[in-house]
Amino acid sequence: MDLLDNTVRPYAWGSPTAIPQLLGVEPSGEPQAEMWMGAHPGAPSRTARGTLGEVIDADPKAELGEEAVARFGPRLPFLLKILAAGAPLSLQVHPDLEQAREGYEDEERRGIPVDAPDRNYKDANHKPELICALTEFDGLCGFRAPERTAELLDGLGVDSLKPYVDLLRAHPEEAALREVLTAILTADREEMARTVAEATAACTRLGGDYLPYADIAHHYPGDPGVIAAMLLNHVRLQPGEALFLGAGIPHAYLNGLGVEIMANSDNVLRCGLTPKHVDVPELLRIVRFEAGDAGVLRPEAAPDGEEVYETPIDEFRLSRYVLPEGTAAHDLTLPTPQILLCTAGAVRVGEYDLAPGRSVFVPAAEKAEVSGAGTVFRATVVV
């Protein structure tokens, strides 16, 4: 197995303190948003044998196992991260696999450079995600029921929002959500900026359920995404709770530290809270206009002490072991590749002692025993 040396990405929304605190190092003063663990070409983990991508490329079947290669190809199909949000991320959705393939092929045919700012599809893969909270973690996930959103918007007392309130109350659910989101994203920017300013003042004054949106507006003044965000469920995860973000589900992370796992893709369509490109027609094609609760996940216990976060995705499977002092060693050997990440305490995996934030890559079928007292997250695939 390989001890991983991982890159921390300094995106502007990152917390300057959360990841350093986990790692037990001094903050640099700069935002530290995500620590990547995997073989993504944007920031592959480093090992004593080279980057993890180079290690896998040298012998995919030995590193990933024959079943995983047959199912997903000669690459690690997931990316594991520690994510530290100090400010809201962009409001966004991800395509399903068919939509991603169609979109990628279309943009390739039209000759749009893959690094162009108006490019939507960086690859032909879908990007389902799972975020598991390590601290209290705030986010937005999925559409709230239109009638409840109408009450929330009406309570602001902003005249320019009343047409949205009427639409939400007058139409069937899917039509209401589609029409209102379309109207928000296609409104005159100066008029929308005035609406956002009025709504922000009202949210700040009223507090309570409005406070998350006041904070979003503080970071993105005048952005139409502030009003779009008010269509979504606000959820606060407690440590150990998780959210699964499937295709077409609008979402945004707001604040907190968590472990995130996703299919190996960069495909994001943005709805707002960003200076980046928002392709409204393509976005409306991808969004699922379905209301419901946020769907908080809690781990399901397995007989050997493993706690599994069940999702309908095969490219990744996330679980954790919470090991009390004096626990016998657990055999974690699998026929599939694994990344094991310590997030609390001190554990030993094979020959490596892991403190919080340290991780190892375990090739398929390689013996892997974990012992000590702490919390270990396991990332693997389903074959």
Side-chain angles (χ1 to χ4, degrees), residues 230 256 271 283 349 372:
M230 297 187 75
C271 314
L283 173 71
V349 181

Side-chain angles (χ1 to χ4, degrees), residues 62-132:
E63 302 297 334
L64 305 177
E66 291 192 7
E67 289 182 290
V69 171
R71 182 75 188 278
F72 306 110
R75 60 184 181 84
L76 190 67
F78 64 82
L79 176 63
L80 185 67
K81 300 179 180 180
I82 294 175
L83 182 146
L89 282 67
S90 62
L91 191 60
Q92 60 188 259
V93 296
H94 306 301
D96 64 26
L97 191 55
E98 182 178 353
Q99 291 166 337
R101 287 171 177 167
E102 290 175 352
Y104 180 76
E105 290 170 3
D106 175 64
E107 291 184 327
E108 287 289 283
R109 280 195 302 269
R110 290 191 283 139
I112 302 174
V114 73
D115 58 351
D118 60 343
R119 174 101 185 203
N120 293 315
Y121 297 95
K122 310 295 186 185
D123 53 69
N125 199 16
H126 63 165
K127 194 188 178 190
E129 300 175 351
L130 177 74
I131 184 78
C132 178

Side-chain angles (χ1 to χ4, degrees), residues 12 22 203 238 267 307 374:
L22 180 74
C203 286
Q238 298 303 311
N267 288 326
E307 299 177 329

Side-chain angles (χ1 to χ4, degrees), residues 133-323:
L134 294 178
T135 64
E136 277 197 345
F137 194 98
D138 282 74
L140 305 174
C141 180
F143 288 109
R144 189 190 294 107
E147 179 57 36
R148 288 179 54 212
T149 297
E151 292 175 5
L152 192 75
L153 294 179
D154 202 23
L156 292 172
V158 176
D159 287 344
S160 53
L161 292 177
K162 292 192 181 300
Y164 304 152
V165 173
D166 293 340
L167 283 171
L168 290 167
R169 287 176 170 161
H171 290 278
E173 175 182 291
E174 181 177 346
L177 294 171
R178 179 181 291 276
E179 288 189 40
V180 172
L181 183 61
T182 302
I184 291 168
L185 296 180
T186 57
D188 178 84
R189 291 301 294 246
E190 289 187 6
E191 292 180 7
M192 178 54 68
R194 288 193 290 270
T195 296
V196 172
E198 288 186 56
T200 301
C203 286
T204 304
R205 182 181 70 253
L206 293 167
D209 290 342
Y210 293 100
L211 278 179
Y213 306 103
D215 184 64
I216 291 170
H218 169 74
H219 291 282
Y220 297 98
D223 193 305
V226 174
I227 306 301
M230 297 187 75
L231 304 179
L232 307 186
N233 296 296
H234 171 250
V235 60
R236 175 166 293 169
L237 300 177
Q238 298 303 311
E241 295 180 335
L243 288 175
F244 173 69
L245 294 316
I249 305 300
H251 61 278
Y253 302 147
L254 304 180
N255 186 69
L257 182 70
V259 173
E260 184 183 36
I261 190 168
M262 62 188 63
N264 216 345
S265 171
D266 286 328
N267 288 326
V268 176
L269 288 108
R270 295 174 176 84
C271 314
L273 310 182
T274 178
K276 295 181 180 179
H277 177 62
V278 176
D279 184 336
V280 175
E282 185 65 8
L283 173 71
L284 296 174
R285 187 178 78 89
I286 299 303
V287 171
R288 294 184 180 178
F289 291 96
E290 303 169 356
D293 63 30
V296 174
L297 290 177
R298 295 172 181 84
E300 299 184 13
D304 67 346
E306 186 181 26
E307 299 177 329
V308 183
Y309 294 92
E310 296 287 355
T311 74
I313 298 300
D314 291 343
E315 283 94 335
F316 62 73
R317 176 184 183 273
L318 186 71
S319 61
R320 69 174 185 175
Y321 288 84
V322 180
L323 306 173

